[in-house]
Amino acid sequence: MPDIATPLAALRQHCWFKLINGASFQDVAQVYNVTLAYSLAGADCIDVAADPAVIQAAVEAVETAQRLGGGRPLIMVSINDGADPHFRKATFDPCQCPTDCERPCQRICPAAAISFTADVQGILRDRCYGCGRCLPLCPAGLIQTYEQPAAFANITPLIQAGTVQALEIHTQPHRYDAFYALWQQVQPWTGYLKVLAISCPQGEEVISYLRWLSELIQPLQCELIWQADGRPMSGDIGDGATRATIQFGQAILEANLPGFVQLAGGTNGHTVAKLRAMGLLPPRATAKAIAGVAYGSYARKCLAVFHTMADQPWQTVPDILNAAVAAAAALVHPLKSVPSPLAPYG
């Protein structure tokens, strides 16, 4: 078994696990509980929105996990250099909905962020993370989205204090000017970070763009991760969603960029098995190997049932916590190849 006692050791040994809570997901109670479960299950990094309340919830969950015998994953915050589906929310006026509508938007929403109860109608803003699945399904075409860009200046005190140890920049091919402008703000703070990640989807001339980014940001005083965002926010849709991100990860590996390559977007319960079968993870991996996997919508879906069973902090309901940690471990452990069962908590 590899020595993966710390997150950075896991990254270097190609068994890094990142939980993505969502760059626009701001349900503080759910962020706390999901972070707690995955921290106890062995996650190396917890990615959250650039919202001080959300960051604090994740920090408190990690501290609780430590008191219960878990590790200490890095807290990562996501920011963006322009319009991006990860940084948006849906909106509509429920008063305009036809009374006979079958509400397909509500059925499709993976975050249960659409409500038609007597008390709450419309989008539950804190739960919506911008996946966009509701948009084409509204029969009346009432649903729209609006941008919620992250304000980097709001988190610089938390970076300086060491509360936030990792930063992820979401960009897209050909955003040379936009990334350069954001980098002027970010670069002075990189000395405080342990990890800088750059997340990019596939697109025309994407490898050339990543090479330009690499030249711009070097040298770095922290570890660098290239996040291959193959099929954003789709891991919970179906088994085949993982193919695009694996192919994109291979392309980045072939580019021989300095740093590590980590998958995201379309990752699910089949991703690690496919990577191992293809020789892209230890023990069959060659010098070019995927360093880790980030799970977002799929990881949260694995624990969704427990939110309906308990909305209070899960450490106050030991049976719920144990079950949630076991479900989280079923996703974490195949990447880390940890054979031993988990000890119960509480």
Side-chain angles (χ1 to χ4, degrees):
M1 176 178 169
D3 177 12
I4 51 173
T6 68
L8 295 185
L11 182 65
R12 293 163 188 151
Q13 304 242 359
H14 303 279
C15 52
W16 160 274
F17 182 103
K18 186 175 84 169
L19 167 68
I20 303 173
N21 275 298
S24 293
F25 189 65
Q26 295 167 289
D27 187 313
V28 171
Q30 289 196 18
V31 167
Y32 177 93
N33 282 328
V34 171
T35 297
L36 174 62
Y38 276 99
S39 295
L40 287 169
D44 300 296
C45 183
I46 308 295
D47 189 357
V48 296
D51 177 331
V54 172
I55 295 170
Q56 184 59 32
V59 168
E60 291 175 2
V62 168
E63 291 173 348
T64 300
Q66 277 197 295
R67 290 196 295 271
L68 293 173
R72 188 173 184 85
L74 303 180
I75 299 294
M76 173 181 281
V77 170
S78 286
I79 61 174
N80 59 316
D81 65 1
D84 189 289
H86 297 90
F87 297 83
R88 68 179 182 180
K89 289 183 181 289
T91 184
F92 69 92
D93 181 359
C95 294
Q96 297 184 24
C97 294
T99 56
D100 60 346
C101 183
E102 296 182 354
R103 299 169 182 169
C105 61
Q106 188 178 33
R107 292 198 303 272
I108 197 66
C109 181
I114 300 178
S115 174
F116 288 98
T117 66
D119 296 330
V120 181
Q121 297 207 6
I123 302 289
L124 302 175
R125 182 182 179 279
D126 286 350
R127 286 191 185 175
C128 177
Y129 61 86
C131 72
R133 297 178 203 176
C134 59
L135 298 178
L137 292 183
C138 177
L142 298 177
I143 305 177
Q144 300 178 327
T145 61
Y146 62 94
E147 295 294 318
Q148 182 175 277
F152 178 67
N154 291 343
I155 62 169
T156 53
L158 299 175
I159 293 175
Q160 188 171 24
T163 305
V164 171
Q165 305 98 24
L167 186 69
E168 182 165 281
I169 303 176
H170 286 254
T171 186
Q172 295 185 22
H174 300 289
R175 283 195 177 161
Y176 297 98
D177 292 342
F179 188 95
Y180 181 84
L182 180 59
W183 184 246
Q184 302 314 298
Q185 300 178 51
V186 171
Q187 195 278 332
W189 299 93
T190 56
Y192 295 98
L193 299 173
K194 292 186 177 181
V195 171
L196 174 71
I198 296 179
S199 180
C200 189
Q202 298 185 74
E204 185 180 359
E205 299 180 352
V206 63
I207 298 301
S208 295
Y209 181 63
L210 297 184
R211 291 187 191 282
W212 179 85
L213 294 178
S214 179
E215 293 178 4
L216 174 68
I217 66 177
Q218 300 292 345
L220 281 176
Q221 302 176 52
C222 59
E223 300 290 5
L224 173 62
I225 294 175
W226 300 100
Q227 179 165 284
D229 198 2
R231 191 173 170 186
M233 297 182 286
S234 67
D236 59 325
I237 291 177
D239 299 351
T242 197
R243 295 194 188 103
T245 189
I246 291 177
Q247 291 172 355
F248 189 24
Q250 286 179 293
I252 299 177
L253 283 174
E254 291 298 323
N256 291 315
L257 298 171
F260 299 95
V261 178
Q262 172 227 280
L263 305 187
T267 52
N268 54 38
H270 298 269
T271 304
V272 168
K274 288 181 182 294
L275 288 172
R276 292 206 194 282
M278 296 171 68
L280 294 173
L281 279 179
R284 292 177 53 199
T286 62
K288 294 180 180 179
I290 297 297
V293 182
Y295 298 88
S297 55
Y298 184 82
R300 299 193 299 272
K301 180 182 179 181
C302 290
L303 304 190
V305 64
F306 303 109
H307 296 304
T308 66
M309 299 167 66
D311 58 4
Q312 67 264 46
W314 285 344
Q315 74 270 17
T316 65
V317 192
D319 288 346
I320 298 296
L321 179 60
N322 286 324
V325 174
L331 187 60
V332 176
H333 285 193
L335 179 59
K336 295 184 172 294
S337 300
V338 180
S340 58
L342 290 164
Y345 298 98

